[in-house]
Amino acid sequence: MSRPTEQAGRVDRVLVVGNGIAGLTAADTLRGAGFEGDLTIVGDETHAAYSRPALSKALLHDGDDLSHELAPPTHGATELLGVRATGLDVERRRVALDDGTDLPYDRLVIATGSRARRLSDLPEELTLRGLDDALHLRSRLAEKPSVIVVGGGPLGMEIASGCLAAGSQVTLVSQGVPLLLQLGPHLGEVFTAAARERGLTVVDTEYARLERGGAHAGASRVVLDDGTVLEADLVVTAVGDVPNTEWLASSGLVTSGPLTVDSRGLVRPDVAAAGDLAAFPTPYGIRRIPLWSSAIEQSKVAAAALIRGQEAPTLHFQPYFWTEQFGLSLKAVGYMPVFGPPAYVDGGPGGPALMRWAREDGTGVAAALNYRIPIPRLRRVTQQAA
Ligand SMILES: Cc1cc2nc3c(=O)[nH]c(=O)nc-3n(C[C@H](O)[C@H](O)[C@H](O)COP(=O)(O)OP(=O)(O)OC[C@H]3O[C@@H](n4cnc5c(N)ncnc54)[C@H](O)[C@@H]3O)c2cc1C
Protein backbone atom coordinates (compact mmCIF):
# COMPACT_ATOMS: atom_id res chain seq x y z
CA MET A 1 0.00 0.00 0.00
CA SER A 2 1.50 3.31 -1.10
CA ARG A 3 -0.69 5.91 0.45
CA PRO A 4 -1.00 9.65 0.51
CA THR A 5 -0.71 11.39 3.86
CA GLU A 6 -2.09 14.74 4.85
CA GLN A 7 1.28 16.37 5.23
CA ALA A 8 3.41 15.67 2.26
CA GLY A 9 1.89 13.77 -0.66
CA ARG A 10 2.32 10.18 -1.78
CA VAL A 11 4.71 7.83 -0.12
CA ASP A 12 6.21 5.67 -2.84
CA ARG A 13 9.86 5.63 -1.81
CA VAL A 14 11.27 5.26 1.67
CA LEU A 15 15.01 5.46 2.21
CA VAL A 16 16.61 4.21 5.41
CA VAL A 17 20.19 5.33 6.11
CA GLY A 18 21.94 3.04 8.59
CA ASN A 19 21.71 -0.74 8.70
CA GLY A 20 21.85 -1.25 12.46
CA ILE A 21 18.95 -2.35 14.66
CA ALA A 22 17.19 1.03 14.31
CA GLY A 23 17.29 0.96 10.50
CA LEU A 24 16.34 -2.71 10.37
CA THR A 25 13.41 -2.26 12.78
CA ALA A 26 12.14 0.81 10.92
CA ALA A 27 12.18 -1.11 7.63
CA ASP A 28 10.47 -4.18 9.13
CA THR A 29 7.87 -1.94 10.79
CA LEU A 30 7.09 -0.13 7.54
CA ARG A 31 6.47 -3.44 5.77
CA GLY A 32 4.49 -4.75 8.72
CA ALA A 33 2.27 -1.66 8.46
CA GLY A 34 1.54 -2.46 4.83
CA PHE A 35 3.99 -0.21 3.01
CA GLU A 36 4.58 -1.86 -0.39
CA GLY A 37 6.52 0.86 -2.17
CA ASP A 38 10.27 1.11 -2.85
CA LEU A 39 12.27 0.53 0.31
CA THR A 40 16.04 0.99 0.23
CA ILE A 41 18.54 0.64 3.07
CA VAL A 42 21.99 2.17 2.84
CA GLY A 43 24.65 0.99 5.29
CA ASP A 44 28.36 1.68 5.35
CA GLU A 45 29.29 -1.64 6.95
CA THR A 46 29.71 -4.51 4.52
CA HIS A 47 27.98 -6.95 6.90
CA ALA A 48 24.26 -7.67 7.02
CA ALA A 49 22.64 -6.36 10.23
CA TYR A 50 23.88 -8.18 13.34
CA SER A 51 23.53 -8.02 17.10
CA ARG A 52 25.86 -5.31 18.36
CA PRO A 53 25.40 -6.14 22.09
CA ALA A 54 26.61 -9.69 21.39
CA LEU A 55 30.00 -8.36 20.24
CA SER A 56 31.18 -7.81 23.81
CA LYS A 57 29.33 -10.83 25.19
CA ALA A 58 28.83 -14.03 23.17
CA LEU A 59 31.41 -13.19 20.51
CA LEU A 60 34.16 -12.25 22.93
CA HIS A 61 33.43 -14.82 25.65
CA ASP A 62 32.24 -17.86 23.75
CA GLY A 63 33.62 -17.40 20.25
CA ASP A 64 30.02 -17.17 19.03
CA ASP A 65 29.57 -16.38 15.31
CA LEU A 66 26.38 -14.34 16.06
CA SER A 67 24.40 -16.18 13.37
CA HIS A 68 21.51 -17.03 15.71
CA GLU A 69 21.44 -13.69 17.55
CA LEU A 70 19.17 -11.72 15.21
CA ALA A 71 16.01 -12.89 13.43
CA PRO A 72 16.30 -12.52 9.65
CA PRO A 73 14.79 -9.28 8.28
CA THR A 74 11.28 -9.33 6.85
CA HIS A 75 11.49 -6.02 4.94
CA GLY A 76 12.64 -7.34 1.54
CA ALA A 77 14.30 -3.97 0.95
CA THR A 78 17.05 -3.21 -1.53
CA GLU A 79 20.16 -3.18 0.65
CA LEU A 80 23.14 -1.11 -0.43
CA LEU A 81 25.91 -2.27 1.88
CA GLY A 82 29.41 -0.83 2.07
CA VAL A 83 27.94 2.49 0.91
CA ARG A 84 28.14 5.65 3.00
CA ALA A 85 25.70 8.55 2.95
CA THR A 86 27.62 11.80 2.68
CA GLY A 87 24.98 14.50 2.39
CA LEU A 88 21.28 15.29 2.65
CA ASP A 89 19.25 17.85 0.70
CA VAL A 90 15.90 18.11 2.46
CA GLU A 91 14.41 20.46 -0.14
CA ARG A 92 15.16 18.19 -3.11
CA ARG A 93 14.67 15.09 -0.95
CA ARG A 94 17.90 13.43 -1.98
CA VAL A 95 20.68 11.65 -0.10
CA ALA A 96 24.19 11.81 -1.56
CA LEU A 97 26.34 8.68 -1.40
CA ASP A 98 30.10 8.19 -1.34
CA ASP A 99 30.01 6.43 -4.73
CA GLY A 100 29.06 9.77 -6.30
CA THR A 101 25.38 8.93 -6.86
CA ASP A 102 22.37 10.16 -4.94
CA LEU A 103 19.06 8.59 -4.01
CA PRO A 104 15.62 10.24 -3.97
CA TYR A 105 13.03 9.62 -1.26
CA ASP A 106 9.52 10.56 -0.24
CA ARG A 107 10.27 9.65 3.36
CA LEU A 108 13.65 9.27 5.04
CA VAL A 109 14.73 7.37 8.17
CA ILE A 110 18.05 8.54 9.62
CA ALA A 111 19.53 5.69 11.66
CA THR A 112 23.30 6.07 11.43
CA GLY A 113 23.89 5.33 15.11
CA SER A 114 27.09 6.34 16.81
CA ARG A 115 30.76 5.43 16.87
CA ALA A 116 33.28 4.88 19.64
CA ARG A 117 34.76 8.02 21.16
CA ARG A 118 38.54 7.80 21.01
CA LEU A 119 41.16 9.09 23.42
CA SER A 120 43.88 9.44 20.76
CA ASP A 121 44.71 9.11 17.08
CA LEU A 122 47.11 6.25 17.81
CA PRO A 123 46.45 3.14 15.73
CA GLU A 124 47.37 1.12 18.85
CA GLU A 125 44.18 2.36 20.56
CA LEU A 126 41.55 -0.32 20.00
CA THR A 127 37.84 0.35 20.39
CA LEU A 128 34.84 -1.95 20.11
CA ARG A 129 31.87 -0.74 18.12
CA GLY A 130 31.49 -2.95 15.06
CA LEU A 131 31.86 -6.59 14.07
CA ASP A 132 35.26 -5.95 12.48
CA ASP A 133 36.51 -4.39 15.75
CA ALA A 134 35.29 -7.39 17.72
CA LEU A 135 36.85 -9.95 15.35
CA HIS A 136 40.13 -8.04 15.46
CA LEU A 137 40.14 -7.90 19.27
CA ARG A 138 39.27 -11.58 19.52
CA SER A 139 42.11 -12.53 17.21
CA ARG A 140 44.57 -10.41 19.22
CA LEU A 141 43.43 -12.11 22.44
CA ALA A 142 44.52 -15.48 21.08
CA GLU A 143 48.10 -14.44 21.95
CA LYS A 144 47.00 -13.81 25.58
CA PRO A 145 48.43 -10.28 25.65
CA SER A 146 48.40 -8.12 28.75
CA VAL A 147 45.48 -5.69 28.39
CA ILE A 148 44.52 -2.30 29.75
CA VAL A 149 40.89 -1.35 29.31
CA VAL A 150 40.17 2.35 29.78
CA GLY A 151 36.57 3.07 30.80
CA GLY A 152 34.57 1.62 33.69
CA GLY A 153 31.13 1.69 32.05
CA PRO A 154 29.18 -1.40 30.98
CA LEU A 155 31.11 -1.79 27.73
CA GLY A 156 34.55 -1.39 29.34
CA MET A 157 33.62 -3.91 32.01
CA GLU A 158 32.28 -6.41 29.45
CA ILE A 159 35.46 -6.08 27.40
CA ALA A 160 37.59 -6.56 30.54
CA SER A 161 35.54 -9.62 31.42
CA GLY A 162 36.01 -11.08 27.92
CA CYS A 163 39.77 -10.42 27.98
CA LEU A 164 40.11 -12.09 31.40
CA ALA A 165 38.13 -15.08 30.17
CA ALA A 166 40.52 -15.34 27.21
CA GLY A 167 43.40 -15.74 29.65
CA SER A 168 44.86 -12.23 29.61
CA GLN A 169 46.04 -10.19 32.56
CA VAL A 170 43.70 -7.23 32.61
CA THR A 171 43.81 -3.80 34.24
CA LEU A 172 40.71 -1.63 34.13
CA VAL A 173 41.24 2.13 34.34
CA SER A 174 38.08 3.79 35.65
CA GLN A 175 36.90 7.16 36.89
CA GLY A 176 35.78 5.98 40.34
CA VAL A 177 33.97 2.73 41.04
CA PRO A 178 33.16 0.94 37.77
CA LEU A 179 29.48 1.17 36.74
CA LEU A 180 28.75 3.71 39.48
CA LEU A 181 27.58 6.37 37.02
CA GLN A 182 25.43 4.03 34.96
CA LEU A 183 23.95 1.72 37.62
CA GLY A 184 24.54 3.38 40.99
CA PRO A 185 26.63 2.44 44.04
CA HIS A 186 24.98 -0.85 45.02
CA LEU A 187 25.24 -2.60 41.67
CA GLY A 188 28.57 -0.91 40.93
CA GLU A 189 30.05 -2.49 44.07
CA VAL A 190 28.52 -5.91 43.34
CA PHE A 191 30.02 -6.02 39.84
CA THR A 192 33.38 -4.61 40.92
CA ALA A 193 33.68 -7.22 43.68
CA ALA A 194 32.92 -10.03 41.19
CA ALA A 195 35.45 -8.59 38.75
CA ARG A 196 38.19 -8.39 41.40
CA GLU A 197 37.46 -11.93 42.52
CA ARG A 198 38.10 -13.10 38.98
CA GLY A 199 41.43 -11.31 38.86
CA LEU A 200 40.68 -7.88 37.40
CA THR A 201 42.95 -5.09 38.60
CA VAL A 202 40.98 -1.85 38.94
CA VAL A 203 42.80 1.50 38.89
CA ASP A 204 41.05 4.76 39.73
CA THR A 205 41.93 7.99 37.91
CA GLU A 206 40.28 11.30 37.05
CA TYR A 207 41.57 11.10 33.50
CA ALA A 208 43.80 8.93 31.35
CA ARG A 209 45.98 9.73 28.35
CA LEU A 210 47.43 7.33 25.81
CA GLU A 211 51.03 7.29 24.63
CA ARG A 212 52.77 5.16 22.08
CA GLY A 213 55.70 3.06 23.16
CA GLY A 214 56.80 0.64 25.77
CA ALA A 215 58.92 -2.45 26.18
CA HIS A 216 58.24 -3.72 22.65
CA ALA A 217 56.87 -2.58 19.31
CA GLY A 218 53.09 -2.25 19.38
CA ALA A 219 52.89 -1.77 23.15
CA SER A 220 50.99 1.20 24.51
CA ARG A 221 51.15 3.28 27.65
CA VAL A 222 48.36 4.81 29.64
CA VAL A 223 49.25 7.83 31.76
CA LEU A 224 47.05 8.48 34.79
CA ASP A 225 46.19 11.79 36.48
CA ASP A 226 49.00 11.44 39.05
CA GLY A 227 51.61 10.70 36.37
CA THR A 228 51.61 6.93 36.91
CA VAL A 229 52.39 5.12 33.66
CA LEU A 230 50.76 1.76 32.94
CA GLU A 231 51.95 -0.36 30.07
CA ALA A 232 50.40 -3.31 28.25
CA ASP A 233 50.52 -5.23 24.98
CA LEU A 234 47.02 -4.05 24.17
CA VAL A 235 45.01 -0.97 25.11
CA VAL A 236 41.26 -0.94 24.51
CA THR A 237 39.23 2.17 25.29
CA ALA A 238 35.50 2.29 26.00
CA VAL A 239 34.89 5.92 26.87
CA GLY A 240 31.54 6.70 25.33
CA ASP A 241 30.12 7.17 21.88
CA VAL A 242 29.71 9.99 19.35
CA PRO A 243 26.54 10.30 17.20
CA ASN A 244 27.17 9.79 13.47
CA THR A 245 25.52 13.00 12.29
CA GLU A 246 28.34 14.86 10.51
CA TRP A 247 27.02 13.70 7.13
CA LEU A 248 23.90 15.80 7.84
CA ALA A 249 25.82 19.10 8.06
CA SER A 250 24.65 20.23 4.61
CA SER A 251 21.00 19.58 5.49
CA GLY A 252 20.73 22.30 8.11
CA LEU A 253 19.23 19.75 10.52
CA VAL A 254 22.35 19.38 12.66
CA THR A 255 26.11 19.81 12.19
CA SER A 256 27.35 17.41 14.88
CA GLY A 257 26.11 15.83 18.09
CA PRO A 258 22.68 14.28 18.56
CA LEU A 259 19.79 14.89 16.20
CA THR A 260 16.73 16.02 18.15
CA VAL A 261 13.37 14.46 17.28
CA ASP A 262 9.84 14.97 18.57
CA SER A 263 7.86 12.45 20.61
CA ARG A 264 7.06 10.52 17.39
CA GLY A 265 10.68 10.39 16.23
CA LEU A 266 10.12 13.02 13.54
CA VAL A 267 12.61 15.75 12.62
CA ARG A 268 10.14 17.11 10.07
CA PRO A 269 7.05 15.46 8.54
CA ASP A 270 9.05 13.60 5.90
CA VAL A 271 12.18 12.80 7.95
CA ALA A 272 12.43 10.56 11.01
CA ALA A 273 15.45 9.62 13.10
CA ALA A 274 15.89 6.79 15.58
CA GLY A 275 18.51 4.95 17.56
CA ASP A 276 21.77 6.01 19.15
CA LEU A 277 22.04 9.29 17.24
CA ALA A 278 18.61 10.61 18.27
CA ALA A 279 17.78 12.74 21.32
CA PHE A 280 14.10 12.48 22.20
CA PRO A 281 11.74 13.76 24.91
CA THR A 282 11.95 11.71 28.13
CA PRO A 283 10.64 12.46 31.63
CA TYR A 284 14.16 13.78 32.36
CA GLY A 285 14.42 16.10 29.39
CA ILE A 286 15.49 15.66 25.79
CA ARG A 287 18.28 13.13 25.72
CA ARG A 288 19.80 10.17 23.97
CA ILE A 289 19.31 6.73 25.49
CA PRO A 290 21.82 4.71 23.47
CA LEU A 291 20.49 1.24 24.28
CA TRP A 292 19.36 -1.62 22.08
CA SER A 293 15.73 -1.67 23.26
CA SER A 294 15.60 2.13 22.98
CA ALA A 295 16.65 1.93 19.31
CA ILE A 296 13.93 -0.67 18.67
CA GLU A 297 11.14 1.25 20.40
CA GLN A 298 12.14 4.57 18.83
CA SER A 299 12.26 3.18 15.31
CA LYS A 300 8.88 1.43 15.57
CA VAL A 301 7.26 4.72 16.57
CA ALA A 302 9.20 6.73 13.97
CA ALA A 303 8.31 4.38 11.10
CA ALA A 304 4.62 4.59 11.99
CA ALA A 305 4.81 8.40 12.20
CA LEU A 306 6.39 8.66 8.75
CA ILE A 307 3.34 7.00 7.24
CA ARG A 308 0.54 8.14 9.57
CA GLY A 309 1.84 11.52 10.74
CA GLN A 310 0.16 12.98 13.81
CA GLU A 311 -2.26 10.03 13.96
CA ALA A 312 0.60 7.76 14.96
CA PRO A 313 1.21 7.07 18.66
CA THR A 314 3.93 8.90 20.56
CA LEU A 315 6.86 7.15 22.22
CA HIS A 316 6.25 5.86 25.75
CA PHE A 317 9.51 4.34 26.64
CA GLN A 318 10.80 2.61 29.75
CA PRO A 319 14.53 1.85 29.51
CA TYR A 320 15.58 -1.80 29.51
CA PHE A 321 19.23 -2.65 30.01
CA TRP A 322 21.16 -5.88 30.39
CA THR A 323 24.74 -6.89 30.83
CA GLU A 324 26.73 -10.11 31.24
CA GLN A 325 30.16 -10.00 32.83
CA PHE A 326 32.36 -11.73 35.42
CA GLY A 327 29.82 -14.52 35.90
CA LEU A 328 26.98 -12.09 36.61
CA SER A 329 23.97 -11.45 34.45
CA LEU A 330 21.84 -8.37 35.05
CA LYS A 331 18.53 -7.29 33.56
CA ALA A 332 17.20 -3.92 34.66
CA VAL A 333 14.12 -1.88 33.82
CA GLY A 334 13.66 1.82 34.59
CA TYR A 335 15.80 4.94 34.69
CA MET A 336 19.21 4.33 36.26
CA PRO A 337 21.41 4.98 38.25
CA VAL A 338 19.70 4.08 41.50
CA PHE A 339 20.84 5.05 44.97
CA GLY A 340 20.61 3.39 48.35
CA PRO A 341 20.14 -0.28 49.13
CA PRO A 342 17.58 -2.28 47.15
CA ALA A 343 14.43 -3.88 48.50
CA TYR A 344 14.70 -7.63 47.81
CA VAL A 345 11.55 -8.95 46.13
CA ASP A 346 13.11 -12.41 45.99
CA GLY A 347 16.53 -13.84 46.83
CA GLY A 348 19.13 -11.79 48.64
CA PRO A 349 22.66 -10.38 48.75
CA GLY A 350 25.35 -12.70 47.37
CA GLY A 351 22.93 -14.93 45.43
CA PRO A 352 20.34 -14.70 42.69
CA ALA A 353 18.21 -11.66 43.48
CA LEU A 354 15.18 -9.78 42.24
CA MET A 355 15.50 -6.21 43.52
CA ARG A 356 13.66 -2.95 43.31
CA TRP A 357 14.31 0.68 44.08
CA ALA A 358 11.79 3.51 44.40
CA ARG A 359 12.99 6.73 42.84
CA GLU A 360 12.19 10.11 44.33
CA ASP A 361 9.92 10.96 41.40
CA GLY A 362 7.71 7.97 42.20
CA THR A 363 8.92 5.71 39.39
CA GLY A 364 10.49 2.35 40.11
CA VAL A 365 13.53 0.44 38.95
CA ALA A 366 13.64 -3.35 38.95
CA ALA A 367 16.78 -5.43 38.55
CA ALA A 368 17.28 -9.17 38.24
CA LEU A 369 20.77 -10.36 39.09
CA ASN A 370 21.53 -13.95 38.05
CA TYR A 371 17.78 -14.37 38.32
CA ARG A 372 15.58 -15.73 35.55
CA ILE A 373 12.51 -13.61 34.90
CA PRO A 374 10.60 -12.66 31.76
CA ILE A 375 10.94 -8.96 30.89
CA PRO A 376 7.18 -8.21 31.16
CA ARG A 377 7.27 -9.49 34.76
CA LEU A 378 10.33 -7.41 35.49
CA ARG A 379 8.44 -4.38 34.17
CA ARG A 380 5.61 -5.14 36.59
CA VAL A 381 8.07 -5.15 39.50
CA THR A 382 8.93 -1.52 38.69
CA GLN A 383 5.27 -0.61 39.21
CA GLN A 384 5.26 -2.26 42.63
CA ALA A 385 7.99 0.17 43.57
CA ALA A 386 6.05 3.24 42.51
C1 LIG B 1 29.92 -3.71 21.99
C2 LIG B 1 28.59 -3.12 22.35
C3 LIG B 1 27.79 -3.77 23.30
C4 LIG B 1 26.56 -3.25 23.62
N1 LIG B 1 25.80 -3.89 24.56
C5 LIG B 1 24.57 -3.43 24.85
C6 LIG B 1 23.75 -4.09 25.83
O1 LIG B 1 24.16 -5.07 26.44
N2 LIG B 1 22.50 -3.63 26.05
C7 LIG B 1 22.03 -2.55 25.38
O2 LIG B 1 20.88 -2.16 25.60
N3 LIG B 1 22.78 -1.87 24.46
C8 LIG B 1 24.04 -2.29 24.20
N4 LIG B 1 24.80 -1.63 23.28
C9 LIG B 1 24.23 -0.46 22.57
C10 LIG B 1 23.40 -0.93 21.38
O3 LIG B 1 24.12 -1.85 20.63
C11 LIG B 1 23.04 0.30 20.54
O4 LIG B 1 22.19 1.10 21.35
C12 LIG B 1 22.32 -0.06 19.25
O5 LIG B 1 23.10 -0.93 18.47
C13 LIG B 1 22.01 1.23 18.47
O6 LIG B 1 21.48 0.90 17.24
P1 LIG B 1 21.47 1.94 16.03
O7 LIG B 1 20.82 1.22 14.90
O8 LIG B 1 20.97 3.25 16.47
O9 LIG B 1 23.02 2.22 15.72
P2 LIG B 1 24.13 1.26 15.14
O10 LIG B 1 23.94 -0.12 15.66
O11 LIG B 1 25.41 1.97 15.40
O12 LIG B 1 23.86 1.22 13.57
C14 LIG B 1 24.10 2.32 12.73
C15 LIG B 1 24.63 1.81 11.42
O13 LIG B 1 24.75 2.91 10.52
C16 LIG B 1 26.02 2.87 9.89
N5 LIG B 1 26.39 4.21 9.42
C17 LIG B 1 26.96 5.21 10.14
N6 LIG B 1 27.14 6.31 9.37
C18 LIG B 1 26.66 5.99 8.14
C19 LIG B 1 26.55 6.70 6.92
N7 LIG B 1 26.94 7.98 6.81
N8 LIG B 1 26.03 6.06 5.86
C20 LIG B 1 25.60 4.77 5.95
N9 LIG B 1 25.67 4.05 7.08
C21 LIG B 1 26.18 4.65 8.18
C22 LIG B 1 26.92 2.32 10.97
O14 LIG B 1 28.13 1.81 10.46
C23 LIG B 1 26.03 1.22 11.55
O15 LIG B 1 26.11 0.05 10.78
C24 LIG B 1 26.07 -2.09 22.97
C25 LIG B 1 26.89 -1.42 22.03
C26 LIG B 1 28.14 -1.94 21.73
C27 LIG B 1 29.01 -1.22 20.73
Side-chain angles (χ1 to χ4, degrees):
M1 169 187 59
S2 299
R3 47 180 291 190
T5 69
E6 280 170 24
Q7 290 130 325
R10 283 184 67 85
V11 182
D12 292 322
R13 291 169 304 200
V14 179
L15 178 59
V16 177
V17 185
N19 195 31
I21 190 64
L24 170 71
T25 307
D28 281 348
T29 305
L30 284 163
R31 286 295 193 226
F35 174 69
E36 290 170 358
D38 276 358
L39 186 56
T40 302
I41 303 181
V42 174
D44 66 358
E45 291 186 84
T46 50
H47 310 287
Y50 56 86
S51 167
R52 207 169 288 286
L55 299 179
S56 51
K57 302 178 184 67
L59 187 140
L60 213 51
H61 277 83
D62 314 325
D64 194 293
D65 68 358
L66 306 189
S67 54
H68 62 282
E69 293 279 346
L70 212 55
T74 56
H75 51 60
T78 303
E79 292 185 70
L80 304 178
L81 300 183
V83 176
R84 172 177 289 266
T86 54
L88 167 63
D89 184 333
V90 288
E91 300 310 323
R92 294 176 53 237
R93 289 188 174 165
R94 298 189 88 88
V95 168
L97 306 178
D98 64 355
D99 61 7
T101 62
D102 63 2
L103 292 174
Y105 64 83
D106 299 318
R107 297 287 185 277
L108 174 67
V109 179
I110 300 173
T112 44
S114 60
R115 60 184 180 274
R117 187 166 86 78
R118 297 182 65 85
L119 285 184
S120 76
D121 294 330
L122 297 176
E124 289 86 355
E125 178 184 357
L126 301 188
T127 56
L128 176 46
R129 178 73 202 181
L131 179 54
D132 293 336
D133 302 329
L135 293 174
H136 177 67
L137 177 59
R138 193 170 71 180
S139 73
R140 294 288 304 272
L141 289 176
E143 304 148 20
K144 300 198 190 320
S146 57
V147 181
I148 298 172
V149 178
V150 182
L155 181 55
M157 286 285 273
E158 286 183 1
I159 294 170
S161 175
C163 295
L164 265 184
S168 285
Q169 267 200 341
V170 187
T171 302
L172 182 92
V173 173
S174 174
Q175 280 175 330
V177 176
L179 299 174
L180 180 77
L181 288 179
Q182 295 81 13
L183 305 185
H186 177 81
L187 291 170
E189 294 291 354
V190 168
F191 277 95
T192 304
R196 286 206 163 104
E197 234 168 69
R198 293 197 169 213
L200 183 73
T201 303
V202 180
V203 175
D204 186 359
T205 188
E206 269 300 304
Y207 64 83
R209 171 165 71 74
L210 262 56
E211 275 182 3
R212 178 172 282 164
H216 60 83
S220 297
R221 291 142 53 104
V222 176
V223 186
L224 308 183
D225 55 2
D226 63 359
T228 305
V229 177
L230 306 175
E231 195 179 306
D233 302 321
L234 217 62
V235 174
V236 190
T237 61
V239 291
D241 66 321
V242 181
N244 288 321
T245 51
E246 291 80 0
W247 70 277
L248 298 168
S250 61
S251 69
L253 298 180
V254 68
T255 51
S256 64
L259 179 57
T260 299
V261 299
D262 69 12
S263 56
R264 292 183 174 81
L266 295 178
V267 185
R268 37 183 279 155
D270 55 348
V271 178
D276 280 6
L277 88 174
F280 58 92
T282 77
Y284 305 101
I286 294 188
R287 51 187 273 200
R288 289 193 314 132
I289 301 185
L291 294 177
W292 185 255
S293 62
S294 163
I296 292 172
E297 296 305 317
Q298 288 177 61
S299 44
K300 283 182 182 171
V301 166
L306 271 186
I307 299 295
R308 292 169 50 202
Q310 298 300 313
E311 289 168 19
T314 57
L315 181 65
H316 292 286
F317 173 70
Q318 187 185 37
Y320 167 67
F321 167 81
W322 80 100
T323 185
E324 293 157 21
Q325 46 179 281
F326 306 108
L328 296 176
S329 157
L330 177 80
K331 294 176 185 171
V333 172
Y335 284 89
M336 302 187 83
V338 280
F339 298 93
Y344 287 93
V345 179
D346 197 14
L354 178 60
M355 298 165 273
R356 68 181 189 220
W357 285 261
R359 291 175 58 102
E360 277 181 2
D361 61 7
T363 64
V365 170
L369 188 66
N370 283 7
Y371 187 98
R372 291 173 77 88
I373 181 170
I375 310 303
R377 229 195 104 204
L378 194 59
R379 289 198 189 281
R380 285 200 292 279
V381 174
T382 67
Q383 287 153 17
Q384 276 174 248

